[in-house]
Amino acid sequence: MTELKETWQNYIDGEWVDGGAGWIDVTDPASGKVLARQALADARDVDHAVQAARQVHLAGEFSGLRPVDRGRMVQAMGRYLLEHVDEISELLTLEQGKPLWEARVEVHGAARYFEYYGNQAETVEGRSIPLGAGYFDFTVHEPFGVSAQIIPWNYPLEVTARSLSAALATGNAVVVKSPELAPLSTAWFARAAEAAGLPTGAVSVICGYGREAGAALAAHPGVNQIVFTGSVATGTSIAKAAANTVVPTILELGGKSAAIVHSDADLDAFVNDVRWGIFYNAGQVCSAMSRVIVHESRHDELVERIAEMAGALSVGPGIDRRDYGPNMGAMISLQQRDRAESMVTEAISAGANLATGGQRPKDHSGAFLRPTVLFDVAPDMKIAQEEIFGPVLSVLRFSDDDTAIDIANGTPYGLVGGVYTRDLDRAMRAAAKLRAGQVFVNEWYAGGVETPFGGYGKSGYGREKGREALMNYVQTKNIAVRLRS
Ligand code: NAD
């Protein structure tokens, strides 16, 4: 069983410390029980962490290492997480609600980022630019310095890992602001940094309220780059803060992503994708398949099959769901569950029909919602426009390809999209027209750490993952030399 200390501190400049803003109770959303209390940082704590990171950076203790050595440290952090996968995954399940096997997948996913970006530390190379006789011109890619990273609760480990590993591989020092609803498991990144021998101050991990610690971090003049993953509303306020300090920002925001299912699609494979697309992590995934747009000729059959699959998922405490299988855990909080449930009720009043779900399971009092499938959803209904961030799928129908694309593109978001067909030309036409940072053809979530990820429209800007992300963590300097003969 995982170590469940009563009190969890912040990690600043190599020390575990209390916070100036007191404590927050961290609860298990499956049972409502308080698990532990977490220290909350205030603006002074934030300043302390930023100054420590700044000092490491200016002293070149980390950025000045030979990249291969820095890369090995980054990789060691990932291995450390894997060595502690049992403790970390139990803790994550208890504080976040997901099934234990999903939490294990998340720890492995987090470790994979450190492997991937650790490997790439020594590949960030500049180029030489010919300027004719008498000149030697070249570029170097330098770390920004202090990278501030603000993390959401849905994937606290994977989201932290993807930004932290890329920032460290490129030589930045990092201040992580963990989510106040699920902060405990992120303490393991501080332990991993210590175990891997990173210089003190290169990684600080602090929790705090968004409006207090998060806002102080985003506005801090000592921060050189911000990575924010979370909601559009918070992302907008962070972008405003970053505009004041003229600091580059990566915004990874929400989504309302759609899968287009053509009449020739393989429905067996697709129904399996729906299981992962909208019910994994109880639908609390930014790139969830929250809408299915299906050709009218397959509509009724598909709704029936999805409802059957969704109705068969067992819903209950994640800690009892240790093995990979057809099951789902709690949502993050009663508040999130109630919001999702009321959006379903509202959609039904607006004319949508319920194929399955829509209610809480009778045998559990925690933050549970049964896997829910709505059909007869119109593209302009609130349920088809706003992110729910829960296990709720809306099924819409189309009769011609252009209408399907228009519906898919008809929200302010643009994170991912999918098209299901055996016709490659049709798939490629759709891929070109979908306004999304990533398009899946015949498999939702195809790809991995290696494939760039990020939004169009209100889903944000900048890219995480893949080679593209590395370039978001460095700035280019051109050095032009006039040679004298
Ligand atoms: P949120 O915006 O409420 O909070 C995210 C983080 O921002 C938390 O750490 C919070 O404390 C902090 N925060 C809140 N207010 C702040 C402020 N004024 N200044 C600075 N920081 C502040 O989001 P959430 O509810 O934790 O997460 C859910 C959202 O995240 C969803 O919209 C989801 O789509 C999005 N998300 C996006 C991705 C992606 O990669 N695109 C991944 C995961 C989650």
Side-chain angles (χ1 to χ4, degrees):
M1 189 62 190
T2 188
E3 160 205 18
L4 241 184
K5 298 182 298 174
E6 253 174 53
T7 293
W8 293 67
Q9 292 173 297
N10 292 322
Y11 182 77
I12 303 179
D13 198 13
E15 307 269 346
W16 292 97
V17 293
D18 292 349
W23 301 90
I24 187 170
D25 284 341
V26 181
T27 51
D28 174 354
S31 66
K33 281 199 198 116
V34 174
L35 296 167
R37 58 180 199 150
Q38 163 70 49
L40 291 172
D42 65 3
R44 271 183 60 171
D45 299 318
V46 168
D47 181 57
H48 183 180
V50 171
Q51 298 302 352
R54 206 168 166 68
Q55 261 177 24
V56 177
H57 180 66
L58 293 177
E61 288 172 55
F62 192 58
S63 57
L65 293 179
R66 188 167 173 161
V68 64
D69 295 326
R70 209 168 51 228
R72 285 179 181 146
M73 287 182 177
V74 172
Q75 288 181 319
M77 288 179 68
R79 286 196 299 274
Y80 181 86
L81 298 179
L82 290 180
E83 282 157 21
H84 297 278
V85 59
D86 293 340
E87 299 114 286
I88 304 173
S89 50
E90 283 193 13
L91 189 59
L92 178 60
T93 283
L94 288 174
E95 66 175 342
Q96 201 275 347
K98 63 186 68 188
L100 187 53
W101 66 268
E102 285 192 26
R104 289 183 72 87
V105 172
E106 184 169 347
V107 177
H108 279 270
R112 172 79 180 107
Y113 282 106
F114 288 93
E115 179 189 45
Y116 178 75
Y117 284 118
N119 260 327
Q120 311 231 1
E122 56 184 328
T123 68
V124 183
E125 296 168 345
R127 64 190 178 110
S128 72
I129 299 168
L131 290 181
Y135 291 95
F136 174 48
D137 189 284
F138 64 103
T139 60
V140 289
H141 298 302
E142 297 183 341
F144 280 105
V146 180
S147 172
Q149 307 188 344
I150 301 177
I151 310 297
W153 47 258
N154 63 331
Y155 281 99
L157 295 179
E158 281 205 37
V159 173
T160 304
R162 83 178 176 200
S163 306
L164 179 60
S165 58
L168 293 176
T170 45
N172 295 276
V174 181
V175 179
V176 174
K177 208 295 276 169
S178 63
E180 53 270 49
L181 289 177
L184 307 181
S185 47
T186 52
W188 284 93
F189 291 107
R191 296 175 187 178
E194 271 188 358
L198 270 78
T200 302
V203 176
S204 289
V205 181
I206 56 178
C207 184
Y209 288 121
R211 60 178 181 273
E212 187 170 13
L217 184 58
H220 198 293
V223 163
N224 306 112
Q225 183 237 20
I226 300 173
V227 191
F228 171 73
T229 308
S231 63
V232 175
T234 310
T236 307
S237 77
I238 285 175
K240 287 180 185 159
N244 285 333
T245 45
V246 195
V247 160
T249 306
I250 302 167
L251 296 182
E252 291 287 357
L253 310 178
K256 191 74 198 175
S257 303
I260 298 174
V261 183
H262 287 283
S263 54
D264 62 347
D266 173 348
L267 289 196
D268 288 339
F270 181 67
V271 170
N272 185 50
D273 276 19
V274 175
R275 185 263 177 272
W276 302 112
I278 189 65
F279 301 127
Y280 196 64
N281 203 22
Q284 301 162 120
V285 183
C286 51
S287 47
M289 183 202 289
S290 54
R291 295 180 296 154
V292 165
I293 306 166
V294 56
H295 189 263
E296 56 192 1
S297 63
R298 308 296 297 274
H299 175 273
D300 295 354
E301 176 191 1
L302 185 63
V303 168
E304 196 176 310
R305 291 177 69 170
I306 294 175
E308 192 185 330
M309 174 276 293
L313 295 177
S314 95
V315 180
I319 204 72
D320 301 336
R321 280 155 178 74
R322 310 185 84 81
D323 298 321
Y324 171 91
N327 54 45
M328 208 177 76
M331 295 177 69
I332 187 71
S333 65
L334 291 172
Q335 196 189 1
Q336 279 294 116
R337 191 275 312 275
D338 293 351
R339 177 177 172 275
E341 193 184 41
S342 69
M343 283 179 81
V344 172
T345 312
E346 202 179 316
I348 294 168
S349 325
N353 278 307
L354 190 64
T356 187
Q359 309 115 11
R360 313 156 183 206
K362 297 202 170 47
D363 43 350
H364 297 292
S365 61
F368 296 100
L369 182 65
R370 293 209 60 84
T372 300
V373 180
L374 289 162
F375 63 106
D376 289 337
V377 172
D380 58 352
M381 282 182 189
K382 184 173 161 189
I383 197 102
Q385 287 289 321
E386 289 186 16
E387 188 180 44
I388 302 170
F389 226 53
V392 180
L393 176 71
S394 294
V395 182
L396 300 91
R397 62 175 99 204
F398 74 93
S399 52
D400 64 90
D401 293 18
D402 286 346
T403 308
I405 300 281
D406 287 347
I407 297 172
N409 286 342
T411 78
Y413 293 106
L415 197 51
V416 305
V419 54
Y420 288 74
T421 175
R422 295 177 207 259
D423 178 341
L424 187 60
D425 293 328
R426 177 179 253 163
M428 295 314 288
R429 279 196 302 273
K433 287 184 183 164
L434 283 170
R435 288 195 38 79
Q438 187 166 28
V439 176
F440 303 124
V441 177
N442 291 334
E443 187 186 305
W444 201 261
Y445 295 143
V449 172
E450 310 91 328
T451 50
F453 177 75
Y456 278 37
K458 286 201 171 175
S459 291
Y461 46 73
R463 291 293 176 266
E464 290 274 73
K465 302 168 69 171
R467 291 281 297 164
E468 281 74 4
L470 276 185
M471 301 318 284
N472 282 324
Y473 292 88
V474 291
Q475 50 198 336
T476 301
K477 180 181 278 176
N478 187 74
I479 300 170
V481 183
R482 176 77 169 103
L483 302 169
R484 308 265 171 224
S485 50

